Short mmCIF file of all heavy atoms in Angstrom, two decimals:
data_model
loop_
_atom_site.label_atom_id
_atom_site.label_comp_id
_atom_site.label_asym_id
_atom_site.label_seq_id
_atom_site.Cartn_x
_atom_site.Cartn_y
_atom_site.Cartn_z
N ASP R 1 -2.86 18.58 43.47
CA ASP R 1 -1.53 18.18 43.01
C ASP R 1 -1.28 18.67 41.63
O ASP R 1 -2.04 18.29 40.61
CB ASP R 1 -1.43 16.64 43.19
CG ASP R 1 -0.04 16.11 42.91
OD1 ASP R 1 0.69 16.65 42.03
OD2 ASP R 1 0.37 15.09 43.57
N LEU R 2 -0.20 19.35 41.40
CA LEU R 2 0.14 20.02 40.11
C LEU R 2 0.25 18.93 39.06
O LEU R 2 -0.36 19.13 37.98
CB LEU R 2 1.43 20.91 40.23
CG LEU R 2 1.89 21.53 38.93
CD1 LEU R 2 0.85 22.54 38.40
CD2 LEU R 2 3.18 22.20 39.26
N LYS R 3 1.03 17.93 39.33
CA LYS R 3 1.25 16.93 38.18
C LYS R 3 0.02 16.05 37.98
O LYS R 3 -0.19 15.79 36.85
CB LYS R 3 2.47 15.95 38.63
CG LYS R 3 3.85 16.66 38.61
CD LYS R 3 4.98 15.71 38.63
CE LYS R 3 4.97 14.79 39.63
NZ LYS R 3 6.20 14.03 39.84
N LYS R 4 -0.82 15.78 39.01
CA LYS R 4 -2.06 15.17 38.74
C LYS R 4 -3.10 15.96 37.88
O LYS R 4 -3.78 15.36 37.05
CB LYS R 4 -2.78 14.78 40.09
CG LYS R 4 -2.06 13.59 40.71
CD LYS R 4 -2.87 13.20 42.01
CE LYS R 4 -2.23 12.13 42.69
NZ LYS R 4 -2.88 11.73 43.95
N ILE R 5 -3.05 17.34 38.11
CA ILE R 5 -3.87 18.15 37.30
C ILE R 5 -3.44 18.06 35.88
O ILE R 5 -4.23 18.00 35.00
CB ILE R 5 -3.84 19.60 37.79
CG1 ILE R 5 -4.47 19.70 39.21
CG2 ILE R 5 -4.57 20.57 36.92
CD1 ILE R 5 -4.36 21.00 39.98
N ILE R 6 -2.20 18.13 35.65
CA ILE R 6 -1.68 18.14 34.26
C ILE R 6 -1.92 16.71 33.64
O ILE R 6 -2.26 16.64 32.47
CB ILE R 6 -0.21 18.46 34.23
CG1 ILE R 6 -0.17 19.96 34.65
CG2 ILE R 6 0.35 18.37 32.72
CD1 ILE R 6 1.42 20.41 34.76
N ALA R 7 -1.85 15.69 34.38
CA ALA R 7 -2.10 14.34 33.93
C ALA R 7 -3.64 14.18 33.65
O ALA R 7 -3.94 13.61 32.57
CB ALA R 7 -1.65 13.38 34.90
N LEU R 8 -4.55 14.69 34.44
CA LEU R 8 -5.95 14.64 34.19
C LEU R 8 -6.26 15.45 33.01
O LEU R 8 -7.24 15.10 32.30
CB LEU R 8 -6.72 15.03 35.49
CG LEU R 8 -6.68 14.06 36.57
CD1 LEU R 8 -7.14 14.72 37.91
CD2 LEU R 8 -7.44 12.85 36.25
N SER R 9 -5.60 16.57 32.81
CA SER R 9 -5.82 17.36 31.63
C SER R 9 -5.42 16.55 30.43
O SER R 9 -6.11 16.65 29.30
CB SER R 9 -4.91 18.64 31.68
OG SER R 9 -4.73 19.16 30.42
N THR R 10 -4.35 15.78 30.47
CA THR R 10 -4.02 14.93 29.32
C THR R 10 -5.04 13.83 29.08
O THR R 10 -5.44 13.56 27.85
CB THR R 10 -2.66 14.29 29.57
OG1 THR R 10 -1.65 15.30 29.80
CG2 THR R 10 -2.25 13.39 28.44
N LEU R 11 -5.65 13.35 30.11
CA LEU R 11 -6.72 12.31 29.95
C LEU R 11 -7.94 12.82 29.33
O LEU R 11 -8.59 12.28 28.48
CB LEU R 11 -6.96 11.76 31.24
CG LEU R 11 -8.03 10.66 31.38
CD1 LEU R 11 -7.70 9.43 30.45
CD2 LEU R 11 -8.45 10.24 32.72
N SER R 12 -8.23 14.18 29.63
CA SER R 12 -9.40 14.80 29.09
C SER R 12 -9.13 15.08 27.54
O SER R 12 -9.95 14.93 26.71
CB SER R 12 -9.57 16.20 29.74
OG SER R 12 -10.57 16.84 29.15
N GLN R 13 -7.94 15.46 27.17
CA GLN R 13 -7.58 15.66 25.81
C GLN R 13 -7.51 14.30 25.06
O GLN R 13 -7.89 14.32 23.86
CB GLN R 13 -6.23 16.42 25.68
CG GLN R 13 -6.26 17.81 26.31
CD GLN R 13 -7.47 18.55 25.64
OE1 GLN R 13 -7.56 18.75 24.46
NE2 GLN R 13 -8.29 19.17 26.60
N LEU R 14 -7.18 13.25 25.68
CA LEU R 14 -7.19 11.95 24.95
C LEU R 14 -8.79 11.54 24.71
O LEU R 14 -9.06 10.98 23.79
CB LEU R 14 -6.57 10.90 25.95
CG LEU R 14 -5.06 10.92 25.87
CD1 LEU R 14 -4.43 9.93 26.95
CD2 LEU R 14 -4.50 10.63 24.57
N GLY R 15 -9.65 11.93 25.73
CA GLY R 15 -10.98 11.84 25.51
C GLY R 15 -11.48 12.61 24.25
O GLY R 15 -12.39 12.11 23.49
N MET R 16 -10.99 13.75 24.17
CA MET R 16 -11.19 14.57 22.96
C MET R 16 -10.72 13.93 21.65
O MET R 16 -11.50 14.06 20.70
CB MET R 16 -10.57 15.97 23.13
CG MET R 16 -10.97 17.01 21.95
SD MET R 16 -12.71 17.43 22.25
CE MET R 16 -12.81 18.94 21.29
N MET R 17 -9.61 13.36 21.61
CA MET R 17 -9.14 12.58 20.45
C MET R 17 -10.01 11.50 20.14
O MET R 17 -10.30 11.18 19.07
CB MET R 17 -7.73 12.28 20.73
CG MET R 17 -6.70 13.30 20.83
SD MET R 17 -5.12 12.79 21.30
CE MET R 17 -4.52 14.18 22.30
N MET R 18 -10.44 10.71 21.19
CA MET R 18 -11.33 9.53 20.94
C MET R 18 -12.70 10.12 20.47
O MET R 18 -13.34 9.36 19.73
CB MET R 18 -11.52 8.75 22.24
CG MET R 18 -10.24 7.99 22.67
SD MET R 18 -9.80 6.71 21.42
CE MET R 18 -8.25 7.45 20.87
N PHE R 19 -13.16 11.11 20.95
CA PHE R 19 -14.37 11.80 20.50
C PHE R 19 -14.25 11.97 19.06
O PHE R 19 -15.19 11.68 18.24
CB PHE R 19 -14.65 12.96 21.32
CG PHE R 19 -15.86 13.78 20.82
CD1 PHE R 19 -17.08 13.36 21.15
CD2 PHE R 19 -15.81 14.93 20.17
CE1 PHE R 19 -18.32 14.04 20.77
CE2 PHE R 19 -16.93 15.66 19.67
CZ PHE R 19 -18.10 15.21 20.09
N SER R 20 -13.19 12.56 18.57
CA SER R 20 -12.88 12.86 17.21
C SER R 20 -12.81 11.57 16.41
O SER R 20 -13.51 11.50 15.30
CB SER R 20 -11.56 13.58 17.13
OG SER R 20 -11.23 13.80 15.71
N ILE R 21 -12.19 10.55 16.91
CA ILE R 21 -12.21 9.26 16.20
C ILE R 21 -13.57 8.69 16.17
O ILE R 21 -13.97 8.17 15.11
CB ILE R 21 -11.22 8.36 16.89
CG1 ILE R 21 -9.75 8.81 16.71
CG2 ILE R 21 -11.42 6.86 16.42
CD1 ILE R 21 -8.81 7.95 17.43
N SER R 22 -14.47 8.82 17.20
CA SER R 22 -15.80 8.29 17.14
C SER R 22 -16.64 8.95 16.11
O SER R 22 -17.58 8.33 15.60
CB SER R 22 -16.43 8.37 18.45
OG SER R 22 -16.74 9.67 18.84
N LEU R 23 -16.30 10.14 15.74
CA LEU R 23 -16.96 10.80 14.55
C LEU R 23 -16.33 10.60 13.26
O LEU R 23 -16.94 11.12 12.24
CB LEU R 23 -17.01 12.32 14.87
CG LEU R 23 -17.69 12.90 16.11
CD1 LEU R 23 -17.56 14.39 16.22
CD2 LEU R 23 -19.13 12.37 16.14
N GLY R 24 -15.33 9.77 13.14
CA GLY R 24 -14.70 9.36 11.97
C GLY R 24 -13.62 10.36 11.55
O GLY R 24 -13.19 10.46 10.28
N LEU R 25 -13.17 11.24 12.42
CA LEU R 25 -12.21 12.32 12.00
C LEU R 25 -10.77 11.90 12.43
O LEU R 25 -10.26 12.45 13.36
CB LEU R 25 -12.65 13.63 12.74
CG LEU R 25 -14.09 14.19 12.42
CD1 LEU R 25 -14.42 15.23 13.34
CD2 LEU R 25 -14.21 14.42 10.94
N TYR R 26 -10.31 10.88 11.85
CA TYR R 26 -9.03 10.33 12.22
C TYR R 26 -7.84 11.26 12.15
O TYR R 26 -7.06 11.31 12.94
CB TYR R 26 -8.75 9.01 11.40
CG TYR R 26 -9.90 8.04 11.50
CD1 TYR R 26 -10.73 7.87 10.38
CD2 TYR R 26 -10.17 7.34 12.64
CE1 TYR R 26 -11.71 6.92 10.40
CE2 TYR R 26 -11.23 6.41 12.68
CZ TYR R 26 -12.00 6.22 11.62
OH TYR R 26 -13.11 5.39 11.70
N GLU R 27 -7.88 11.97 11.02
CA GLU R 27 -6.70 12.90 10.76
C GLU R 27 -6.74 14.09 11.78
O GLU R 27 -5.67 14.43 12.23
CB GLU R 27 -6.80 13.49 9.36
CG GLU R 27 -6.55 12.48 8.22
CD GLU R 27 -7.78 11.67 7.80
OE1 GLU R 27 -8.94 12.17 8.32
OE2 GLU R 27 -7.70 10.74 7.10
N LEU R 28 -7.96 14.55 12.14
CA LEU R 28 -8.05 15.49 13.17
C LEU R 28 -7.58 15.03 14.44
O LEU R 28 -6.90 15.84 15.26
CB LEU R 28 -9.44 16.20 13.21
CG LEU R 28 -9.78 17.13 12.12
CD1 LEU R 28 -11.24 17.65 12.23
CD2 LEU R 28 -8.78 18.27 12.10
N ALA R 29 -7.85 13.88 14.79
CA ALA R 29 -7.50 13.28 16.14
C ALA R 29 -5.88 13.14 16.12
O ALA R 29 -5.35 13.53 17.20
CB ALA R 29 -8.05 11.91 16.31
N PHE R 30 -5.32 12.78 15.07
CA PHE R 30 -3.88 12.67 14.99
C PHE R 30 -3.28 14.15 15.15
O PHE R 30 -2.27 14.34 15.74
CB PHE R 30 -3.38 12.01 13.81
CG PHE R 30 -1.91 11.83 13.74
CD1 PHE R 30 -1.25 10.98 14.65
CD2 PHE R 30 -1.13 12.47 12.69
CE1 PHE R 30 0.09 10.82 14.63
CE2 PHE R 30 0.29 12.36 12.75
CZ PHE R 30 0.81 11.46 13.59
N PHE R 31 -3.83 15.01 14.34
CA PHE R 31 -3.45 16.47 14.43
C PHE R 31 -3.38 17.07 15.81
O PHE R 31 -2.60 17.67 16.34
CB PHE R 31 -4.20 17.28 13.52
CG PHE R 31 -3.87 18.74 13.36
CD1 PHE R 31 -2.47 19.17 13.26
CD2 PHE R 31 -4.75 19.74 13.53
CE1 PHE R 31 -2.07 20.50 13.22
CE2 PHE R 31 -4.46 21.07 13.41
CZ PHE R 31 -3.11 21.40 13.36
N HIS R 32 -4.54 16.78 16.57
CA HIS R 32 -4.78 17.14 17.94
C HIS R 32 -3.72 16.44 18.89
O HIS R 32 -3.28 17.12 19.81
CB HIS R 32 -6.13 16.79 18.39
CG HIS R 32 -6.45 17.52 19.77
ND1 HIS R 32 -6.37 18.87 19.99
CD2 HIS R 32 -6.86 16.96 20.93
CE1 HIS R 32 -6.69 19.13 21.27
NE2 HIS R 32 -6.89 18.01 21.87
N LEU R 33 -3.46 15.24 18.60
CA LEU R 33 -2.43 14.57 19.27
C LEU R 33 -1.06 15.19 19.26
O LEU R 33 -0.32 15.39 20.17
CB LEU R 33 -2.29 13.11 18.89
CG LEU R 33 -1.25 12.34 19.49
CD1 LEU R 33 -1.48 11.90 20.84
CD2 LEU R 33 -0.85 10.99 18.61
N LEU R 34 -0.72 15.65 18.00
CA LEU R 34 0.61 16.25 17.81
C LEU R 34 0.72 17.63 18.55
O LEU R 34 1.60 18.00 19.14
CB LEU R 34 0.85 16.36 16.35
CG LEU R 34 1.07 15.06 15.51
CD1 LEU R 34 1.40 15.37 14.07
CD2 LEU R 34 2.31 14.35 16.14
N THR R 35 -0.31 18.40 18.21
CA THR R 35 -0.34 19.77 18.85
C THR R 35 -0.44 19.67 20.31
O THR R 35 0.27 20.39 21.06
CB THR R 35 -1.50 20.64 18.25
OG1 THR R 35 -2.70 20.00 18.62
CG2 THR R 35 -1.38 20.89 16.85
N HIS R 36 -1.17 18.78 20.95
CA HIS R 36 -1.33 18.62 22.31
C HIS R 36 0.01 18.19 22.90
O HIS R 36 0.26 18.63 24.02
CB HIS R 36 -2.43 17.56 22.63
CG HIS R 36 -2.52 17.26 24.04
ND1 HIS R 36 -3.14 18.08 24.91
CD2 HIS R 36 -2.15 16.12 24.72
CE1 HIS R 36 -3.14 17.50 26.06
NE2 HIS R 36 -2.53 16.37 26.07
N ALA R 37 0.67 17.33 22.23
CA ALA R 37 1.93 16.77 22.77
C ALA R 37 2.99 17.98 22.94
O ALA R 37 3.72 18.01 23.92
CB ALA R 37 2.57 15.70 21.81
N LEU R 38 2.87 18.91 22.05
CA LEU R 38 3.90 20.07 22.07
C LEU R 38 3.60 20.90 23.34
O LEU R 38 4.42 21.24 24.09
CB LEU R 38 3.80 20.83 20.80
CG LEU R 38 4.40 20.07 19.59
CD1 LEU R 38 4.23 20.93 18.30
CD2 LEU R 38 5.82 19.68 19.83
N PHE R 39 2.35 21.39 23.45
CA PHE R 39 2.06 22.28 24.55
C PHE R 39 2.01 21.58 25.92
O PHE R 39 2.25 22.07 27.00
CB PHE R 39 0.94 23.24 24.32
CG PHE R 39 -0.43 22.62 24.10
CD1 PHE R 39 -1.17 22.10 25.11
CD2 PHE R 39 -0.91 22.63 22.84
CE1 PHE R 39 -2.38 21.58 24.86
CE2 PHE R 39 -2.23 22.09 22.60
CZ PHE R 39 -2.97 21.50 23.62
#
């Protein structure tokens, strides 16, 4: 399902943002959130 693939991709990138936060890289997580939202 095309929309499910894109939604699961978003979930994967949210995991990447939480990974960044777990390392203490809060600004990078926010930066990734903004760039990810655009594409």
Side-chain angles (χ1 to χ4, degrees):
D1 188 321
L2 177 62
K3 289 196 305 188
K4 284 183 184 177
I5 293 171
I6 296 173
L8 286 164
S9 159
T10 301
L11 182 62
S12 176
Q13 296 306 306
L14 287 172
M16 186 68 162
M17 293 170 214
M18 290 297 112
F19 178 76
S20 176
I21 288 173
S22 70
L23 297 178
L25 306 170
Y26 306 108
E27 293 85 9
L28 282 181
F30 184 68
F31 180 49
H32 189 60
L33 175 74
L34 293 178
T35 57
H36 175 76
L38 292 174
F39 59 78

